[in-house]
Amino acid sequence: MINVAIVEDNDTIREGLAALINGTTGYKSVGLFGDCESFLVKLNTLDVNVVLMDIALPGISGIEGVKEAKKIKPDIDILMLTIYEDSEKVFDALCAGACGYLVKKTPPSKLLEAIKEVYEGGSPMSSQIARQVITAFKESKDVKADKQEFELSSREKEVINLLAGGNNYQQIADQLFISVDTVRHHIKNIYKKLHVHTQSEAVAKAIRKKII
Amino acid sequence: MINVAIVEDNDTIREGLAALINGTTGYKSVGLFGDCESFLVKLNTLDVNVVLMDIALPGISGIEGVKEAKKIKPDIDILMLTIYEDSEKVFDALCAGACGYLVKKTPPSKLLEAIKEVYEGGSPMSSQIARQVITAFKESKDVKADKQEFELSSREKEVINLLAGGNNYQQIADQLFISVDTVRHHIKNIYKKLHVHTQSEAVAKAIRKKII
DNA sequence: TAAATAATTACATAATTATGTAATTGATTC
DNA sequence: GAATCAATTACATAATTATGTAATTATTTA
C-alpha cells in the first residue's frame, strides 16, 4: 500500500487526484493540502510514502516546499506536478530534492505508474530533463577533472598538505622526520612547480587544482 | 535525416539495427562497426549524429569508447545499448558522456523514438537510472552546501582572497587602499573566526568551506 | 541616545618565511 | 658505469608574518 499526500491549490485537480488514488488498489490518499504551509506543519505526523506537489503554489512555492519537507523528513519521496514542462523549474525542483515529476495532463494509468516508480526508488522524468540533469552532473564533476596539471611528488604533496593544515616548517619537519631545511627545499620546489611565491597561493592553487 | 552509426560486436544485432534504421524514413545508417577501435579511427571522417554503442564490447569497452569518442567529437550523441539494465554500468556510461541508453530488447518503434529524442537533445533513460543520476548530482553539490559556518565580513573575504592570490600584506594594503596595519588587523580577525594561526590554514579552510 | 559592530590606524617585536647557493645519497634509467 | 632524478641536509639573511595592546570613526541596532 502506497500512502500518498497531495499538495495542490486547485480544488478540482486535488480532489480528482485523491479520487483516482483512493479508487485504486494499493494506493491510499493520506492527506490533501491546498498549500505548502499546511502540508509542512502536518508532515511530521503524516504516514506518507509519496507526495504529489504542485510546482506553482501560492505562498511557499513547490520548490521551496520540497526543500523544507526534505529537512523535516529527508527520506520522503516527492513527485512534482507541473502544467507545462518548464525545464528550468523542473530542474530546480529536482535539485531541491524532488524525485521526479508529472505533467498534469498525464493519463491516470501513467500517473499511478509514476507514483509506483517513485515508491520503488525511481525518478520518472522526461528525456529532456534527464539530459539537463546529467549535463549538470557532469559539469559539477568536470571541475575536478583538470587536476594534475602540475605534478607534485608524493613528498611534496605531504608537505603542502601539512602546510594547509596550519603547520610551520618545524612542525612539518618533525612529522615527516626530516630536517627543517629539507622542508624548506620541498617548499621551494613546490613554489617552482606551481609558479607561486607564497604559502597561501600554493595552498590555494593546490586545493583548486585538486592536488590536495 | 538522422545519421546513425552502430558499434556492436554481434553481427545479427548490428545488421538488424542497420536494416531497421535504413528502412525508416528520416534515419540513415552511416557506419557499422564490430568494435570501438575501428569506430574511433573512422570517427573523424564520419558525418554522424547519433551513435548506438554496445556497453559490453571486446577490446575497448563501450564506456571507454564513449570517453574516447567524446574527446574526438565532443558534441556527438551516444546512446548505449545494454542487454540487462545493469545500473552501475549504465550510470558509468552516462558519466563518461553517453546521452542515454536502450535495452536491446526495446521494440523497434521505441528504439527509433529514443534515437530521435537523443537527436533532439534528450536523454532517454529509465526512472531507476534517473534517480541514481540525480542522487549523485545532489551529492556532488551538497559538498558545497556546508558553507558559511564561519561568517567573514566582506572586507575580510577580500583580504583572504588576495592572500590566496599570492599577495603579501603590503600588496593587499595597496590594492584595498588601506594601511598595512589594517590588513594585519583583518587577518588577525580572520584567524580568530576560522580558528587558525597561519595564512595557509586560513586559505585552505576558506576554500574548503567555500567562503572564497 | 547608548551600545554594538565593522573598518580603520598605530606601534612593537619575536618568530617565521622566501630565496640563494651547494652538496650527499639512493634509486632508476640509459 | 654514467646520467638523471627525488629526497635529503646545510648555511645565510633580508623580508614577511603572527600576535599583543590601544585608539578612532562611521554605521547599525536596541
Side-chain angles (χ1 to χ4, degrees), chain A residues 168-169 184 188 191 197 199:
Chain A
N168 64 28
Y169 290 8
R184 254 187 253 285
K188 277 182 234 176
Y191 287 3
H197 301 279
Q199 286 190 15

Side-chain angles (χ1 to χ4, degrees), chain B residues 168-169 184 188 191 197 199:
Chain B
N168 65 27
Y169 290 10
R184 254 188 254 284
K188 278 182 231 176
Y191 286 4
H197 300 278
Q199 287 189 14

Side-chain angles (χ1 to χ4, degrees), chain B residues 82-108:
Chain B
T82 74
I83 301 182
Y84 308 109
E85 196 176 288
D86 175 343
S87 292
E88 199 165 333
K89 287 238 171 88
V90 173
F91 181 72
D92 288 347
L94 292 174
C95 287
C99 285
Y101 68 88
L102 294 171
V103 291
K104 289 191 183 176
K105 63 175 195 286
T106 304

Side-chain angles (χ1 to χ4, degrees), chain B residues 12-136:
Chain B
T12 315
I13 296 178
R14 188 175 65 246
E15 298 301 331
L17 288 168
L20 170 66
I21 285 161
N22 281 323
T24 308
T25 311
Y27 296 79
K28 190 173 80 179
S29 163
V30 295
L32 301 180
F33 306 91
D35 56 77
C36 267
E37 290 83 345
S38 54
F39 163 66
L40 290 170
V41 297
K42 282 276 187 179
L43 179 53
N44 247 320
T45 61
L46 216 55
D47 180 21
V48 59
N49 304 122
V50 179
V51 179
L52 300 183
M53 171 140 18
D54 190 7
I55 279 196
L57 285 168
I60 295 179
S61 78
I63 292 168
E64 281 305 312
V66 170
K67 286 184 195 163
E68 294 306 316
K70 280 281 182 180
K71 281 184 198 163
I72 297 168
K73 282 197 179 176
D75 292 335
I76 201 170
D77 286 333
I78 303 174
L79 199 49
M80 305 308 288
L81 296 176
T82 74
I83 301 182
Y84 308 109
E85 196 176 288
D86 175 343
S87 292
E88 199 165 333
K89 287 238 171 88
V90 173
F91 181 72
D92 288 347
L94 292 174
C95 287
C99 285
Y101 68 88
L102 294 171
V103 291
K104 289 191 183 176
K105 63 175 195 286
T106 304
S109 66
K110 289 270 181 193
L111 194 148
L112 293 167
E113 190 187 317
I115 292 173
K116 199 176 173 208
E117 276 178 12
V118 167
Y119 183 66
E120 288 168 350
S123 282
M125 67 179 76
S126 77
S127 71
Q128 300 289 328
I129 301 290
R131 172 79 71 112
Q132 278 190 272
V133 174
I134 70 169
T135 301

